[in-house]
Amino acid sequence: MTSQPLILGIETSCDETGVGLVRGTTMLANAVASSVDEHARFGGVVPEVASRAHLEAMTPTLHRALDEAGVGLEDVDAIAVTAGPGLAGALMVGVSAAKALAIAVDKPLYGVNHLVGHVAAEQLENGALTEPVVALLVSGGHTELLEVSDVASAAKLLGGTIDDAAGEAFDKIARLIGLPYPGGPHIQKAAADGDPSSIRFPRGLTSERDMTRHRYDFSFSGLKTAVARWVETAERDGVPVPVADVAAAFQESVADVLTRKAVLACQERDIGTMVLAGGVAANARVRDLARERCAEAGIELRQPRLSLCTDNGAMIAALGAAVVEQNLEPSAPDFATDSSLPVTQVLV
Amino acid sequence: MLLLALDTSTPAVTVALHDGERAVAHSTHADARRHTELLAPAISDVLAEAGVDRREITGVAVGIGPGPFTGLRVGVTAARTLGTALDVPVVGVCSLDIIAREVTMREAPHGSPFLVVTDARRREVYWSAYDSAGVRTRGPEVGPASGIPDALPAAGAGARTYRDAFPGLLEPEFPSAVFLAAAVVDGAVDTCEPRPLYLRRPDAAPPAARKPVLTPVHPSR
């Protein structure tokens, strides 16, 4: 359906510069430049390093997306950009570029929510969502459970991490057991040779008491300390640390809590669809366990391919397309970035 | 010709349009924390004020700092994106040189050597030294105002913050896109790639050693 408007999406909330082009729920381009390698020696994303990289990557990534889609800027009908949440300085590069672009092509601009963008990305994979859905968003910066009753206009936060993001926990544990940054892929690789049941690490916020106050919340700080304690005890006793087993058992704890609470949210809210997104959703164990548990519970699990799970511009274009389809008002030309934009605000 | 000039390296968000003869429209707002909000409406405003279409723009000039990073990037990003989208060239100009150009124009023909000093936060300034003709003789550099070797009158907001370090103050306080545009049109300043002059490395250090979580075992006495 070429009659649907062509939406260009820009994403710069963390360390990925993304520009995507979408028509309806059809993805035409998804160009991403990552500064992850520049952050590796710091063991985490350095905001100023990320912002500098966004500036350098912005116009080349824009050109790459246009080439990939085989369209020109004059074909673009509207622009969407991540207004938040994210790193303030990083967001400002994307928003500044998007505003300049909107002036240059004289087309409406929509500042949208990064988290809801992750949910919208799924529509590029398996077509329009049938809302409501529960979305489990897990990445280096986010660990949230959302209830989305309309991807373009109505989302609410059911719960989230009260300390570290899941991805941060992966990075910290990787460092503890001598694996490189970013932790996620390296822990997954190491865990492949380990026994997840060899060590029983705690499941954060799952005790009866925590389930009253923090029913849909997550915590990975206690888990991190438990792993550190276990590793240090082994080192103190002169026992070689079984890296594969520690990685597998840690990964199992994270995957267990994430999927358990997400399934519970679906069941208790009588919602038949779960969307799994964010960088940590690329973890094979998280994906497998989500698939297994959703199947058992009769919940439809929807998860986009890996390149749409991590931060990208196509997901922002997808959300922009949903917003445009509902004829919502464009953002004011003087809209600001909001590093802690609440998920209830899909469009600024 | 129609040159769009802008600078966001200081609290001032300044935009001007120059037709080759004169600045046909300009806009300046000073608000250190709202660059992202102010710049795009300012660009639209100057286009409207001049009564021209954005497609008539033939080039973009942008102040590349030095200046506080986040605000500086707002202008450089916008300039590069406009250049790409409108398919016109983008040039960068040292923002201190823009202030210096205004000093020279104001003081001519009786100028004498001077400094341009802007706020670099963290109790430091960005500064450059200029001769009586407005040619940069040193800088840009970053450091404490007390470390500037030449005791010369100074323009820029940094000179006002550290008033005691300078024998006299000169106008202006902030760069103006009107002077940026005119200087580029007249070929009166050096232009370069539109790449920010950061002068400082990002604040980042490899992580320190992790603190152990086990209580250290003290040898019994």
Side-chain angles (χ1 to χ4, degrees):
Chain A
M1 284 223 300
T2 51
S3 59
Q4 284 176 300
L6 178 63
I7 314 297
L8 184 141
I10 297 179
E11 152 65 31
T12 63
S13 68
C14 191
D15 61 343
E16 257 106 18
T17 313
V19 179
L21 285 152
V22 163
R23 237 186 242 288
T25 57
T26 306
M27 181 168 73
L28 305 179
N30 187 19
V32 177
S34 177
S35 60
V36 62
D37 294 344
E38 296 176 54
H39 304 286
R41 72 190 180 97
F42 302 113
V45 174
V46 181
E48 177 60 21
V49 171
S51 297
R52 290 185 184 191
H54 283 307
L55 173 58
E56 296 312 319
M58 183 51 68
T59 51
T61 309
L62 174 63
H63 282 299
R64 205 143 54 78
L66 292 167
D67 289 350
E68 205 177 305
V71 298
L73 272 176
E74 65 280 2
D75 301 319
V76 171
D77 296 302
I79 297 159
V81 62
T82 302
L87 302 170
L91 289 168
M92 277 185 221
V93 175
V95 169
S96 183
K99 286 184 176 187
L101 204 52
I103 290 174
V105 299
D106 195 23
K107 290 289 157 59
L109 173 62
Y110 300 85
V112 299
N113 191 299
H114 173 82
L115 298 175
V116 185
H118 274 301
V119 182
E122 218 297 313
Q123 308 203 104
L124 302 175
E125 192 69 73
N126 298 304
L129 283 173
T130 311
E131 292 106 331
V133 302
V134 163
L136 173 61
L137 304 183
V138 268
S139 70
H142 301 285
T143 308
E144 273 114 15
L145 261 181
L146 313 184
E147 180 177 332
V148 180
S149 40
D150 185 328
V151 77
S153 58
K156 71 177 178 189
L157 187 66
L158 298 177
T161 181
I162 61 168
D163 40 59
D164 292 344
E168 255 179 303
F170 271 92
D171 292 340
K172 288 173 179 172
I173 296 306
R175 205 173 143 229
L176 176 77
I177 56 179
L179 298 175
Y181 174 89
H186 292 104
I187 285 189
Q188 177 179 319
K189 199 165 162 227
D193 302 322
D195 175 6
S197 59
S198 60
I199 313 161
R200 173 78 189 179
F201 287 128
R203 269 57 173 165
L205 298 183
T206 55
S207 72
E208 205 175 316
R209 186 160 155 270
D210 285 332
M211 287 303 281
T212 45
R213 279 196 59 213
H214 290 291
R215 195 161 193 83
Y216 300 132
D217 288 332
F218 304 98
S219 165
F220 299 104
S221 150
L223 169 62
K224 192 180 64 189
T225 307
V227 178
R229 193 178 290 275
W230 197 94
V231 169
E232 284 176 31
T233 304
E235 283 167 346
R236 188 192 61 197
D237 298 346
V239 180
V241 176
V243 169
D245 287 344
V246 172
F250 160 77
Q251 178 177 269
E252 191 64 20
S253 170
V254 175
D256 178 22
V257 180
L258 289 174
T259 56
R260 200 196 298 183
K261 291 204 174 197
V263 166
L264 183 69
C266 287
Q267 290 171 330
E268 293 184 338
R269 310 186 76 79
D270 198 19
I271 290 173
T273 306
M274 184 199 299
V275 174
L276 179 58
V280 176
N283 179 278
R285 184 56 189 153
V286 173
R287 289 171 94 89
D288 288 349
L289 201 52
R291 197 176 303 128
E292 201 178 290
R293 288 180 170 173
C294 282
E296 275 169 23
I299 297 162
E300 181 200 14
L301 176 66
R302 295 186 47 159
Q303 45 185 356
R305 77 196 76 163
L306 301 189
S307 62
L308 285 172
C309 268
T310 48
D311 292 349
N312 66 86
M315 71 186 216
I316 299 306
L319 179 51
V323 163
V324 168
E325 197 183 304
Q326 291 198 7
N327 291 314
L328 301 179
E329 279 292 302
S331 304
D334 66 344
F335 81 85
T337 58
D338 183 348
S339 56
S340 52
L341 186 68
V343 71
T344 44
Q345 209 178 343
V346 179
L347 173 66
V348 301
Chain B
M1 74 168 290
L2 194 63
L3 178 72
L4 175 71
L6 58 102
D7 186 288
T8 62
S9 67
T10 69
V13 172
T14 178
V15 181
L17 270 178
H18 200 290
D19 68 0
E21 300 277 314
R22 63 185 184 94
V24 290
H26 67 93
S27 157
T28 298
H29 296 279
D31 188 337
R33 305 187 59 85
R34 298 186 63 232
H35 289 34
T36 318
E37 291 93 311
L38 295 171
L39 181 61
I43 294 170
S44 298
D45 287 350
V46 297
L47 288 167
E49 188 189 329
V52 296
D53 186 90
R54 81 245 182 237
R55 283 166 294 197
E56 294 172 54
I57 293 172
T58 57
V60 180
V62 61
I64 53 168
F69 306 153
T70 301
L72 174 60
R73 270 191 292 267
V74 168
V76 175
T77 304
R80 285 190 189 182
T81 308
L82 284 166
T84 281
L86 298 170
D87 198 19
V88 298
V90 183
V91 296
V93 173
C94 169
S95 298
L96 304 181
D97 289 358
I98 305 169
I99 294 178
R101 180 68 184 157
E102 185 168 348
V103 172
T104 314
M105 301 294 277
R106 282 170 182 266
E107 307 285 315
H110 306 294
S112 48
F114 64 96
L115 301 169
V116 172
V117 183
T118 60
D119 187 12
R121 299 181 181 164
R122 303 180 192 183
R123 301 183 179 187
E124 291 189 333
V125 294
Y126 298 114
W127 66 277
S128 289
Y130 297 84
D131 67 15
S132 56
V135 175
R136 179 157 24 105
T137 54
R138 184 169 169 177
E141 295 183 26
V142 63
S146 57
I148 300 174
D150 318 277
L152 292 172
R160 284 150 177 81
T161 306
Y162 302 97
R163 175 73 191 80
D164 296 346
F166 308 97
L169 291 183
L170 299 171
E171 291 296 325
E173 192 173 356
F174 299 126
S176 157
V178 171
F179 284 87
L180 166 59
V184 170
V185 168
D186 297 344
V189 283
D190 289 335
T191 58
C192 58
E193 289 290 308
R195 181 155 290 150
L197 292 168
Y198 290 116
L199 305 193
R200 284 181 181 141
R201 289 179 177 283
D203 267 337
R210 199 179 50 82
K211 282 194 209 127
V213 295
L214 290 184
T215 317
V217 181
H218 295 287
S220 50
R221 296 180 188 171

